[in-house]
Amino acid sequence: MRASNKQSSREIGFIGLGVMGQPMALNMARAGTPLLVWNRSAERSEPLRAVGASVATSPGEVFAKTTIVILMLATEQAIDAVLARAKMDFADHVAGHIIVHMGTTSADYSRGLEADIRAAGGHYVEAPVSGSRKPAEAGQLVAMLAGEAQLMQVVQPLLLPMCRDTVACGAVPNALLMKLAVNIFLITMVTGLAESVHFAERHGLDLARLTAVLDAGPMASDVSRIKAAKLVAGDFSVQAAITDVFKNNRLIAEAARAAQVASPLLDVCHALYGETEALGLGQSDMAAVIRAIEERTAAVRAT
């Protein structure tokens, strides 16, 4: 499969320079990938300009000048807006392009987006990633790919500066379903770790010794080490925001209900992350879920 020739077809388009997107794009640019980037908040583009990427003035400019466009956007609404999906410009944006969706949305949304892009003469690849800001900065994400095999072969080399591994998952929307499955483990693990720290703290245990035991044991991982340090320090600077984790909880719960699959642990986490967001901590790191657990403890003691 070949995308059609454009004025600057050697450039790769990258739209969405948020907590994850900016370090991902920076790793691509530093590896020598010619990028044309756009972000709604223009100041997020400046670090890319500093390392040699071109900065577009609009999403339309990205589509006009590139044939492969990576989208790292937080919501389905943001994706639709950038693609002008409900407008006449949609076909102009996607025809002859490979659109690479790297964010996290529902599987049904992705299935419909692929159908619309193909109907308009474009091509589509899912490439959601597992990891948060730190792995994104280090180029250590894991990408899950779905789409036509020849399209994945075109896209996979572009992901190497961002990812330590890529896994082909078959047809759309299998990559997003795989991402949701992985997120069940991630979310329940971090929530369990937060409850463990809370339990130890309320029993007067030395938290440094707790983390030493956890780090030396069979459950230790990069995630457990990073999140345990944040929990002990009360450092909730964002790596994966509560609001984003709560959204992922919702997507998993909806997918589970649609398939008539039980998700008992995820359902508890869904409630806790919702409670954490209600405490005004939506833009804090997911480790801040400990605050919702503390609130539940306070309620128990008040009865």
Side-chain angles (χ1 to χ4, degrees):
M1 198 292 306
R2 287 187 178 180
S4 63
N5 292 325
K6 294 281 181 176
Q7 180 180 351
S8 302
S9 58
R10 67 182 295 271
E11 286 186 321
I12 305 299
F14 198 111
I15 296 176
L17 303 173
V19 171
M20 295 284 289
Q22 187 189 71
M24 290 164 64
L26 283 169
N27 281 331
M28 291 184 72
R30 288 168 178 154
T33 305
L35 288 184
L36 176 62
V37 305
W38 182 84
N39 192 70
R40 184 176 59 181
S41 302
E43 67 274 7
R44 299 286 298 179
S45 300
E46 292 310 308
L48 273 298
R49 193 194 304 274
V51 296
S54 302
V55 177
T57 58
S58 68
E61 182 181 350
V62 177
F63 292 107
K65 292 183 176 180
T66 67
T67 54
I68 301 176
V69 180
I70 294 171
L71 305 179
M72 188 59 185
L73 296 164
T75 67
E76 297 167 4
Q77 293 78 11
I79 295 169
D80 287 348
V82 160
L83 293 174
R85 193 173 175 193
K87 301 178 181 178
M88 295 295 293
D89 291 341
F90 177 69
D92 291 336
H93 283 176
V94 304
H97 290 73
I98 300 174
I99 306 299
V100 185
H101 171 27
M102 297 196 72
T104 304
T105 62
S106 74
D108 283 345
Y109 171 84
S110 185
R111 186 186 289 111
L113 182 59
E114 180 193 37
D116 286 352
I117 288 173
R118 293 180 67 177
H123 309 278
Y124 180 76
V125 174
E126 283 180 347
V129 292
S130 179
S132 58
R133 181 173 60 85
K134 288 288 188 183
E137 291 173 344
Q140 293 294 301
L141 298 169
V142 177
M144 292 146 278
L145 297 175
E148 296 179 17
Q150 58 188 357
L151 295 175
M152 289 192 285
Q153 290 172 4
V154 172
V155 170
Q156 191 269 345
L158 298 176
L159 307 184
L160 296 180
M162 299 183 277
C163 302
R164 71 183 180 200
D165 203 359
T166 58
V167 179
C169 298
V172 172
N174 282 356
L176 275 164
L177 288 171
M178 187 70 74
K179 169 70 184 289
L180 297 182
V182 169
N183 274 4
I184 294 174
F185 183 34
L186 171 65
I187 292 167
T188 55
M189 176 176 65
V190 173
T191 308
L193 179 61
E195 186 171 335
S196 176
V197 170
H198 177 64
F199 177 90
E201 184 177 39
R202 293 307 170 98
H203 281 83
L205 300 179
D206 185 324
L207 297 185
R209 293 182 181 181
L210 171 66
T211 57
V213 172
L214 292 173
D215 289 349
M219 297 174 292
S221 67
D222 290 344
V223 172
S224 72
R225 293 186 179 96
I226 291 170
K227 298 304 183 186
K230 293 179 79 65
L231 287 161
V232 170
D235 168 20
F236 302 137
S237 56
V238 68
Q239 294 174 347
I242 288 289
T243 294
D244 293 333
V245 177
F246 185 41
K247 180 198 81 170
N248 289 343
N249 266 271
R250 175 181 57 78
L251 292 175
I252 298 166
E254 290 172 354
R257 300 299 168 265
Q260 297 183 314
V261 172
S263 55
L265 296 179
L266 191 281
D267 294 345
V268 172
C269 293
H270 186 268
L272 284 168
Y273 284 92
E275 292 165 24
T276 311
E277 185 175 58
L279 291 171
L281 297 169
Q283 296 310 303
S284 299
D285 187 73
M286 67 184 297
V289 71
I290 195 172
R291 297 297 186 235
I293 298 171
E294 291 168 350
E295 287 289 312
R296 290 196 182 194
T297 291
V300 168
R301 291 185 173 186
T303 58

